[in-house]
Amino acid sequence: MSLLTHVLACLFGMGSWVAINGMWVELPLVVPEIPEGWYLPSYLTVLIQMANIGPLFITLMHRFHPGVLDERPVIYCIVGLGIVATFLLAFFWRQTMAIGGSLHSVPLLVLTFLLSVVDCTSSVTFLPFMMRLRPQYLTTYFAGEGLSGLVPALVALIQGVGVVHCQNATLTVVANQTADNATVVGSGELQAIYQPALFSAEVFFVFLSVMMVVCLVAFILLNHHPSVAHERNNDLYFSGDPTPGKREQGLSLQDQTQEQKPMISPQVSTRKAKSSFGMGTYSNLEVVFIFVVLAWVNALTNAILPSVQSYSCLPYGNKAYHLAATLAAVANPVACFIAMFLPVRSLYFMGFLTMFGTGFGAYIMAMAALSPCPLLVHSASGTAVIVLVWVLFVLSLSYVKVTIGVILRDEGHSALVWCGAVVQLGSMLGAVSMFPLVSVYGLFRSGDACNTKCPM
């Protein structure tokens, strides 16, 4: 394996969702400066789901005109669009326009929609492109995809986004006969004061544009660097649906290690009815199970639980919120590295790990529902538990996502296209289900990092 190819695959994967992830972590600085205020996250959720028109078009093209659409020109277009859109954000995100008698951040919303199209479409183009490389590099790509959330979060932490200090909201000076005896009486109410950022949102958006440039350079080198050429697979992967004879040739045992084969014994595979999906390794029921798990896991990790993260963590304090967000972002690439060295493709194990992660997700949802007074809210153990649960939740389900990606990679090019489509479908269903609960009906109440008062 080539270290250069691993690095390039990782940098390529980082460009998949870095723009939208960066927008989310920068919200505390953006929101106070725009007329939409804290309604902006709701708008972002809607824009991201509207952007699924990109993945829908790509998926339909592969379904009805297989082999016609080449991902490479599409990737060049969307990454280029991402570079331009993030760069323009640095100059126009504050600009407003009057619509219907009120001001709206039209440039910000339009550019965010374009970035959403870029990132959503990457799910159905970046993954199929990785079919051109050996299977080992797909796990590295997933590690880079995980870093697309971690790197902006770390930069935002350095920037000082969301750092809060509590101080008395109202102070009254009570003067005695002499100035030396003056006393200060506080009301007892604390006010959350956000510290000024180390650098501006404009600089952060330029950083995101640079990250997209890095993604483009990595993609160019993956296509044209001489040392990467030795890591490419046979072109039979990309010429539509190969004949059975060519399938065997394209997936020769010389190109697959023992760990890369599905963990199914020959006796079992001969007895069960094979499906027409991919290489026919799995039965129809197993294919449905894989895609249901994939949609469920992405709904949880990309939409349902992130929408209540603040409700589940802020009652324990601002520190708990930042630790949970940062360490959970670290857990994603860690899960990818674990999957690289300890690959387990058993569907039974995948189902168990999905239930395991879902259990942690249920605890997080319960704490969000109990906000602003969740369990152990006044204790250090409560803070430790909520941070640990968030890490284990992301770690377990990220491993499941990587495992499914590697399984579908062995099933062929079209399987990875459907993988990306189901990822977006699951994320969309999760977002659509949570949007009314959070933004319309207001079923969750936010905790105050400075004034939460709960019974001991």
Side-chain angles (χ1 to χ4, degrees):
M1 290 187 293
S2 166
L3 177 61
L4 173 64
T5 309
H6 275 296
V7 172
L8 293 177
C10 183
L11 294 176
F12 177 57
M14 284 178 62
S16 58
W17 282 92
V18 70
I20 291 300
N21 287 333
M23 175 62 70
W24 280 109
V25 300
E26 196 67 4
L27 284 181
L29 287 187
V30 172
V31 162
E33 305 291 333
I34 61 174
E36 286 79 9
W38 278 107
Y39 285 106
L40 180 61
S42 299
Y43 294 159
L44 291 183
T45 302
V46 174
L47 290 174
I48 291 172
Q49 302 319 313
M50 290 172 59
N52 279 307
I53 187 174
L56 177 63
F57 172 76
I58 299 295
T59 305
L60 292 177
M61 283 292 293
H62 281 287
R63 174 64 180 86
F64 296 106
H65 300 283
V68 173
L69 185 64
D70 186 353
E71 287 84 12
R72 288 174 293 185
V74 179
I75 293 175
Y76 279 119
C77 290
I78 63 174
V79 175
L81 178 61
I83 294 171
V84 173
T86 48
F87 187 74
L88 291 178
L89 268 177
F91 300 96
F92 297 104
W93 71 272
R94 295 176 187 266
Q95 303 299 316
T96 59
M97 295 177 60
I99 299 178
S102 59
L103 293 177
H104 293 280
S105 304
V106 175
L108 173 65
L109 296 176
V110 170
L111 291 173
T112 302
F113 172 73
L114 295 178
L115 291 178
S116 301
V117 173
V118 170
D119 289 2
C120 291
T121 308
S122 72
S123 297
V124 292
T125 53
F126 284 23
L127 272 176
F129 170 78
M130 292 304 297
M131 280 290 299
R132 300 176 181 273
L133 302 176
R134 297 183 187 277
Q136 296 89 341
Y137 299 109
L138 183 61
T139 306
T140 308
Y141 166 83
F142 278 116
E145 193 176 75
L147 291 174
S148 71
L150 174 62
V151 172
L154 293 179
V155 174
L157 283 178
I158 296 172
Q159 184 185 15
V161 171
V163 177
V164 176
H165 290 283
C166 301
Q167 72 176 32
N168 228 319
T170 58
L171 296 176
T172 304
V173 178
V174 180
N176 293 334
Q177 294 291 335
T178 63
D180 294 337
N181 293 328
T183 59
V184 178
V185 178
S187 66
E189 281 292 317
L190 297 176
Q191 182 179 9
I193 303 297
Y194 286 89
Q195 295 298 104
L198 187 62
F199 50 88
S200 65
E202 287 83 356
V203 175
F204 185 83
F205 289 136
V206 171
F207 161 75
L208 293 182
S209 184
V210 172
M211 292 295 297
M212 295 301 297
V213 171
V214 170
C215 172
L216 179 61
V217 172
F219 179 63
I220 293 172
L221 292 178
L222 285 174
N223 279 287
H224 302 291
H225 198 281
S227 65
V228 179
H230 301 291
E231 306 300 322
R232 295 198 184 102
N233 277 310
N234 195 301
D235 285 341
L236 291 172
Y237 281 110
F238 324 113
S239 58
D241 293 328
T243 61
K246 290 184 178 181
R247 287 179 181 175
E248 296 177 0
Q249 179 183 356
L251 288 173
S252 64
L253 294 178
Q254 295 176 355
D255 293 333
Q256 290 187 323
T257 62
Q258 184 65 31
E259 291 78 14
Q260 291 163 345
K261 301 173 194 174
M263 299 184 68
I264 301 175
S265 63
Q267 291 81 3
V268 175
S269 61
T270 56
R271 287 197 302 265
K272 69 181 182 180
K274 293 184 178 181
S275 69
S276 58
F277 179 81
M279 300 299 174
T281 308
Y282 299 95
S283 67
N284 289 320
L285 183 61
E286 288 171 333
V287 171
V288 171
F289 171 76
I290 290 171
F291 279 121
V292 168
V293 169
L294 181 63
W296 172 249
V297 167
N298 279 278
L300 289 179
T301 57
N302 296 345
I304 296 177
L305 271 302
S307 66
V308 298
Q309 186 172 40
S310 61
Y311 300 103
S312 66
C313 297
L314 275 181
Y316 297 97
N318 193 62
K319 184 177 180 180
Y321 175 73
H322 281 284
L323 278 176
T326 304
L327 294 180
V330 172
N332 194 315
V334 168
C336 297
F337 284 113
I338 294 175
M340 181 183 298
F341 297 105
L342 295 173
V344 179
R345 302 195 184 189
S346 168
L347 298 186
Y348 294 105
F349 179 75
M350 187 173 70
F352 167 77
L353 205 57
T354 301
M355 291 189 294
F356 187 70
T358 301
F360 288 124
Y363 179 86
I364 294 170
M365 184 63 71
M367 296 306 101
L370 293 173
S371 177
C373 297
L375 300 178
L376 305 173
V377 68
H378 292 298
S379 66
S381 59
T383 301
V385 168
I386 194 64
V387 172
L388 180 62
V389 167
W390 263 103
V391 170
L392 293 176
F393 164 74
V394 175
L395 188 69
S396 56
L397 296 190
S398 294
Y399 186 94
V400 172
K401 288 195 287 186
V402 175
T403 301
I404 293 177
V406 175
I407 286 175
L408 295 178
R409 188 246 176 250
D410 287 343
E411 294 303 302
H413 179 271
S414 61
L416 279 184
V417 175
W418 283 106
C419 175
V422 173
V423 166
Q424 290 304 116
L425 177 63
S427 303
M428 181 185 69
L429 293 177
V432 169
S433 63
M434 291 303 296
F435 178 78
L437 299 180
V438 175
S439 302
V440 178
Y441 298 108
L443 297 184
F444 299 91
R445 290 189 298 162
S446 179
D448 189 328
C450 295
N451 294 302
T452 299
K453 296 179 181 179
C454 299
M456 299 295 291

